[in-house]
Amino acid sequence: MKEKKNGHFFHFLISHAKTYGFVFPSSEIYGGLNAVYDYGQYGVELKNNIKEYWWKSMTQIHENIVGLDSSVLMHSNVWKASGHIDKFNEFLIDNKDSKKRYNPEKLIKEYVTFMQKKCSKKMSHSKKNEILSRLDQSFKKNDFSDIRVLIDELNIYDPICGSKNWTNIRPFNMMFKVKEEKGDLFLRPETAQGIFSNFLNIKKSNRMKIPFGIAQIGKSFRNEMIARQFIFRMREFEQMEMQFFILPKEEMKWYEYWKKIRLKWHLELNLGNEKYKLRDHENKLAHYASIGSDIEFHFPFGFREMEGIHSRRDFDLKNHEIFSKKKLRIFCEKNKLESYIPYVIETSLGLDRLFLAIFSSSLKKEKLKNGNQRIVLKIPPYLSPIKAAIFPLVQKDGLPEIAKKIFNDLKIDYRLIYDQKKSIGKLYRRQDAIGTPLCFTIDHDTLKSNTVTMRYRDTMLQKRVHINNISKMIENETGLKNILIKLSKQSINQ
Ligand code: ATP
């Protein structure tokens, strides 16, 4: 698409999301709030459908995974034990003239890319590798003064104002504080700690046996200093996380299992296999992880992380044992006198990032045979906010009454829309724009044959179906069941 090339596609996407009630800037009437967004009437439906798909894939397909809904506020010792108070930092550099804040790693990498691709005096490969490996080494050693020197040596200037007047590189803790008289609380930066702190409760109340998982969907908060990519990087966002507790010696088996299963889950959405990359982390792991990989997606601004799969080993439970003085252990099957702290494999997916992945790869501009253009959102039908629309062709001859009856009979089973306000062409265009997979039109033939016109969103093909078959057609075309059955068959026998 031409807009994509010009970089306009992303603006078009943001505008479409707002015009059609998917995503609004938060507090817009007061000028908005940086990196915070609200989901509108269709956005919330799409989000809920994504959550249902993930939730059922975790807790229904896997008998040994149960759910949890833990609170956002937790005891502040949780964050001491988890390492977030000391280590959950972002390192930033400010330009004193433009007053803009940058991530120093990104600044250097973008400079290198520019020097390699766009600059007239191209940088050699060996120079590029030399810079990137020095950057890597300095990061590993937490040597931020060397990264600062590197920025000076390379003469990197602020891309906005051209100034080289930089501050030192400083750490910022990314957790939001909530002031309390007895000491600060924190808004959770990941849902996982609610899972670790409820590990004993769930194990005991459900008599869970290793291996087992705990899944949770919920809000997380991070004070992202540089957030310029719509809902990709927000300060308040939602995560869908699952912690899988295992025998330490089975770490690699389950790590490989979850990498495979999670990638398959994403590919099943049919957004295009070429849009995914599984990238193993060789270095720069989160402070709690021993091995990790990301499922990256090709967003309108390039490949970026969508989901992380990590082995957290016994990092969290071990530290919670120390801080809480409670035993967070499992007794060995063979020798009940011996106990161990299980290892954990985590899958952590950002709901908003998946929303953006689905929305961006489904939004299309299509040229029609008559020369007109339509905007269509080809969302996987089982995730579409609205499953079907019901229209009368004209507002007379008893057609609206029949259409309304069909709508009322089916509205409890499916999320439907009844509309009669515009011409049929305009009604179809609106449903295309919000991604409704099926439209049913009641016309004069309905009076004679009890049949209606069914129109498919993706192909625009139309066929006649009997009124009694409408429900079955909606179920077949838009139900979640078929995909869950398929995923269930794919999941390896545990
Ligand atoms: P990034 O490197 O992009 O900042 P991360 O490695 O810090 O992400 P994790 O801590 O692994 O992310 O969090 C797990 C998932 O939560 C991410 O894969 C992403 O989908 C989502 N996520 C993390 N931060 C944000 C954010 N600020 N806004 C939206 N989603 C986020």
Side-chain angles (χ1 to χ4, degrees):
M1 204 183 289
K2 208 173 163 200
E3 276 93 342
K4 254 182 185 167
K5 268 192 197 147
N6 297 340
H8 293 156
F9 175 74
F10 199 37
H11 292 287
F12 161 61
L13 179 154
I14 294 168
S15 142
H16 190 85
K18 185 174 169 200
T19 312
Y20 286 93
F22 283 87
V23 184
F24 305 129
S26 163
S27 323
E28 201 187 6
I29 55 169
Y30 292 100
L33 185 62
N34 186 30
V36 189
Y37 289 89
D38 297 336
Y39 287 85
Q41 67 275 24
Y42 298 126
V44 64
E45 298 287 348
L46 172 56
K47 222 176 156 192
N48 284 342
N49 293 341
I50 298 173
K51 286 193 219 180
E52 186 190 1
Y53 174 44
W54 184 88
W55 190 255
K56 290 189 167 164
S57 307
M58 284 294 175
T59 63
Q60 276 180 224
I61 288 180
H62 298 91
E63 297 148 53
N64 54 354
I65 298 180
V66 294
L68 175 74
D69 183 16
S70 69
S71 51
V72 166
L73 293 177
M74 300 176 77
H75 195 290
S76 53
N77 277 352
V78 167
W79 306 111
K80 283 187 193 148
S82 69
H84 282 83
I85 289 182
D86 290 336
K87 299 204 178 99
F88 197 56
N89 296 323
E90 195 176 7
F91 289 88
L92 298 167
I93 187 168
D94 291 277
N95 186 285
K96 290 183 201 164
D97 295 324
S98 73
K99 307 272 183 273
K100 286 277 168 207
R101 188 159 277 176
Y102 297 91
N103 174 328
E105 184 187 10
K106 251 178 132 187
L107 203 59
I108 294 173
K109 284 188 174 163
E110 277 170 12
Y111 165 82
V112 169
T113 313
F114 173 77
M115 293 304 280
Q116 270 219 303
K117 285 195 184 144
K118 299 188 185 127
C119 186
S120 52
K121 246 176 84 194
K122 283 199 172 62
M123 178 186 276
S124 68
H125 266 291
S126 59
K127 180 74 186 160
K128 173 195 154 187
N129 292 340
E130 186 194 313
I131 295 171
L132 294 183
S133 97
R134 178 164 158 200
L135 181 65
D136 228 46
Q137 291 305 317
S138 304
F139 258 116
K140 272 190 194 149
K141 287 187 270 176
N142 276 340
D143 184 357
F144 292 98
S145 55
D146 183 57
I147 300 177
R148 177 68 182 79
V149 171
L150 184 60
I151 289 175
D152 277 345
E153 280 177 14
L154 295 173
N155 260 323
I156 296 181
Y157 51 82
D158 182 317
I160 294 175
C161 74
S163 153
K164 294 174 197 161
N165 195 5
W166 297 107
T167 62
N168 283 336
I169 297 171
R170 287 162 303 160
F172 284 86
N173 192 282
M174 292 173 75
M175 284 197 292
F176 280 102
K177 274 188 193 155
V178 179
K179 291 270 170 224
E180 281 246 314
E181 269 178 31
K182 286 185 196 159
D184 291 339
L185 292 179
F186 297 92
L187 297 184
R188 67 179 178 200
E190 60 171 15
T191 65
Q193 296 305 326
I195 294 181
F196 294 124
S197 52
N198 277 293
F199 166 75
L200 266 194
N201 286 335
I202 292 200
K203 184 178 85 71
K204 283 187 183 161
S205 59
N206 215 36
R207 288 175 288 132
M208 305 299 283
K209 288 232 160 61
I210 293 283
F212 73 88
I214 304 177
Q216 166 155 243
I217 301 177
K219 290 262 180 163
S220 290
F221 301 81
R222 294 182 187 181
N223 199 359
E224 301 275 4
M225 296 289 169
I226 307 164
R228 299 179 190 126
Q229 286 160 330
F230 192 38
I231 56 172
F232 177 83
R233 188 173 300 284
M234 294 199 283
R235 295 193 291 159
E236 172 179 343
F237 57 99
E238 241 172 309
Q239 289 183 311
M240 306 197 282
E241 296 198 297
M242 195 277 300
Q243 312 291 323
F244 200 67
F245 299 89
I246 55 166
L247 277 173
K249 66 175 183 206
E250 294 189 340
E251 179 185 24
M252 286 319 287
K253 168 181 150 188
W254 289 114
Y255 174 63
E256 293 302 332
Y257 171 83
W258 281 109
K259 266 186 1 187
K260 203 150 116 191
I261 286 289
R262 293 307 303 145
L263 186 61
K264 267 189 184 165
W265 186 87
H266 284 284
L267 294 180
E268 216 45 70
L269 288 168
N270 267 332
L271 305 181
N273 291 8
E274 74 289 351
K275 293 211 166 88
Y276 295 86
K277 261 190 207 165
L278 188 68
R279 200 170 59 82
D280 289 324
H281 286 290
E282 277 119 32
N283 45 41
K284 278 208 77 209
L285 280 164
H287 66 267
Y288 48 74
S290 56
I291 13 170
S293 45
D294 290 340
I295 295 176
E296 292 190 341
F297 186 80
H298 194 252
F299 289 99
F301 35 83
F303 274 100
R304 296 283 190 289
E305 171 178 346
M306 180 153 64
E307 170 158 3
I309 297 129
H310 301 108
S311 169
R312 294 177 80 130
R313 294 202 175 155
D314 53 2
F315 177 89
D316 301 87
L317 290 182
K318 199 160 76 187
N319 286 326
H320 286 305
E321 266 204 349
I322 297 168
F323 277 80
S324 69
K325 301 189 175 61
K326 297 271 169 358
K327 287 257 175 278
L328 302 176
R329 285 165 184 264
I330 300 272
F331 284 103
C332 297
E333 285 287 303
K334 284 189 188 142
N335 179 357
K336 296 281 181 208
L337 293 174
E338 270 181 33
S339 66
Y340 67 97
I341 300 178
Y343 273 19
V344 171
I345 304 296
E346 156 184 271
T347 71
S348 178
L349 171 59
L351 173 55
D352 312 272
R353 288 194 187 175
L354 179 55
F355 184 109
L356 183 59
I358 293 168
F359 201 82
S360 61
S361 45
S362 303
L363 184 60
K364 316 263 180 216
K365 279 182 183 176
E366 286 182 354
K367 237 196 158 80
L368 303 177
K369 277 187 196 136
N370 63 8
N372 289 345
Q373 177 185 266
R374 75 164 177 157
I375 296 172
V376 55
L377 203 54
K378 294 186 166 175
I379 299 180
Y382 50 89
L383 298 181
S384 285
I386 304 294
K387 301 301 172 204
I390 319 281
F391 314 130
L393 183 63
V394 290
Q395 291 185 53
K396 54 181 186 181
D397 305 331
L399 302 188
E401 288 76 11
I402 300 174
K404 203 70 213 252
K405 183 172 182 326
I406 295 172
F407 172 78
N408 283 329
D409 286 348
L410 298 179
K411 72 179 181 191
I412 303 298
D413 293 329
Y414 310 102
R415 189 78 179 80
L416 303 179
I417 273 185
Y418 173 83
D419 203 347
Q420 59 171 32
K421 283 180 221 94
K422 295 198 175 92
S423 71
I424 196 71
K426 286 197 175 132
L427 290 174
Y428 283 155
R429 284 297 97 82
R430 185 168 171 83
Q431 295 310 314
D432 284 346
I434 63 167
T436 306
L438 298 172
C439 291
F440 295 93
T441 304
I442 285 71
D443 54 24
H444 289 99
D445 281 350
T446 312
L447 300 172
K448 293 178 229 153
S449 62
N450 265 336
T451 60
V452 300
T453 302
M454 180 172 95
R455 173 197 183 260
Y456 292 94
R457 172 196 70 193
D458 293 354
T459 56
M460 295 193 294
L461 288 176
Q462 304 191 356
K463 68 177 187 187
R464 292 203 72 84
V465 298
H466 196 275
I467 285 183
N468 294 344
N469 289 335
I470 294 178
S471 174
K472 203 168 75 194
M473 294 309 296
I474 300 175
E475 182 57 43
N476 286 350
E477 296 291 332
T478 72
L480 193 56
K481 203 170 166 179
N482 289 341
I483 177 135
L484 288 176
I485 291 173
K486 199 167 163 201
L487 284 173
S488 176
K489 284 183 184 150
Q490 282 173 359
S491 105
I492 303 167
N493 213 346
Q494 297 170 25

